[in-house]
């Protein structure tokens, strides 16, 4: 039985939870946080959405099968490691661009965090949506 209160609260909370997940993701390579914790927070938001609205609205909002998220995340994480190997350094060595400038640095740790985020989020959503559809 759908709850009107849960549906209204869901519309506010899910957006806030997903924004916090993005904050954790981008903060993670310089401070505590990162892809794993951000994915757990994002999965909480999507789980709340699935409880309030059902699994089909969540699938429509994602627009991708959660297993595609897992595969994409694995490719991103592996490609982040290959940059170091291609530069003649050990696998998963962090490389930063632009190196030595005052601009915010972007590097392979962020790509790796994005990969971890997608793998964890896709795995949890596969389980949660599968259980909701039983």
């Amino acid at each position: 039985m759908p709850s009107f209160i849960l549906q209204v609260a869901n519309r506010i909370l899910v957006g806030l939870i997903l924004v916090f997940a993005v904050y954790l993701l981008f903060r993670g390579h310089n401070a505590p946080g990162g892809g794993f914790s951000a994915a757990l927070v994002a999965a909480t938001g999507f789980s709340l959405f699935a409880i309030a609205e059902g699994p089909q609205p969540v699938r429509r909002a994602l627009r991708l099968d959660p297993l595609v998220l897992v595969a994409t995340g694995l490719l991103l994480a592996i490609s982040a490691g290959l940059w170091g190997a291609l530069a003649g350094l050990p696998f998963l060595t962090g490389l930063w661009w632009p190196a030595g400038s005052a601009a915010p640095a972007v590097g392979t740790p962020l790509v790796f965090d994005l990969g971890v985020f997608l793998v964890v989020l896709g795995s949890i959503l596969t389980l949660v949506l599968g259980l909701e559809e039983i």
Side-chain angles (χ1 to χ4, degrees):
M1 176 167 64
S3 165
F4 177 72
I5 295 172
L6 182 59
Q7 289 176 337
V8 171
N10 176 48
R11 292 183 184 128
I12 298 168
L13 289 175
V14 170
L16 291 174
I17 290 170
L18 293 179
V19 168
F20 183 61
V22 170
Y23 169 75
L24 283 176
L25 176 65
F26 287 109
R27 184 178 187 266
H29 63 278
N30 290 328
F36 189 83
S37 58
L40 293 178
V41 171
T44 302
F46 282 115
S47 298
L48 178 63
F49 189 30
I51 290 169
E53 304 286 340
Q56 290 309 316
V58 175
R59 289 193 185 278
R60 281 194 302 271
L62 286 173
R63 300 180 185 180
L64 290 173
D65 188 75
L67 291 176
V68 173
L69 294 177
V70 172
T72 304
L74 282 173
L75 287 175
L76 278 175
I78 291 170
S79 69
L82 289 177
W83 278 99
L86 291 175
L89 300 168
F91 185 72
L92 285 176
T93 299
L95 299 176
W96 297 92
W97 304 280
S101 73
V106 176
T108 55
L110 179 61
V111 175
F112 183 77
D113 276 344
L114 282 170
V116 170
F117 175 82
L118 291 175
V119 168
V120 173
L121 180 62
S123 300
I124 293 173
L125 287 179
T126 299
L127 292 172
V128 167
L129 294 177
L131 289 173
E132 282 279 331
E133 291 170 344
I134 291 178

